[in-house]
Amino acid sequence: YINSYLFDYFNIFYTIYLNNILIYLDNELKYKVYIKKVLDRLYKFSIKKTKYLSFIISTNSILVNLNKV
């Protein structure tokens, strides 16, 4: 489902397993650019907030998920 929105990036700098998106690169500057690309696509997908590991990531901020700490 979400792959249809991110398909052109698949296996270039991201992969999905179940409900987790993994973004990977060896260059930190490009990494930040690609995170923004994925978040922009997710925003168009109408996802404004998601939980990842011990964080809550939104279009406005990255917060610690206190339920996971």
Side-chain angles (χ1 to χ4, degrees):
Y1 187 62
I2 200 161
N3 274 337
S4 62
Y5 286 90
L6 298 172
F7 184 75
D8 52 328
Y9 302 148
F10 188 66
N11 285 336
I12 297 171
F13 63 85
Y14 98 96
T15 191
I16 292 181
Y17 179 71
L18 298 176
N19 63 345
N20 296 304
I21 299 172
L22 174 65
I23 301 170
Y24 53 89
L25 277 172
D26 57 359
N27 182 316
E28 187 175 343
L29 294 176
K30 285 184 181 179
Y31 183 77
K32 291 176 182 179
V33 169
Y34 289 138
I35 287 176
K36 181 165 178 13
K37 284 183 179 188
V38 169
L39 291 176
D40 286 344
R41 288 278 178 95
L42 292 176
Y43 180 75
K44 290 177 186 175
F45 187 64
S46 296
I47 297 173
K48 299 195 178 24
K49 182 169 38 171
T50 188
K51 294 177 183 175
Y52 181 71
L53 300 175
S54 59
F55 299 99
I56 300 173
I57 302 169
S58 74
T59 55
N60 298 323
S61 64
I62 299 175
L63 304 171
V64 174
N65 185 351
L66 297 176
N67 292 333
K68 296 277 185 171
V69 178

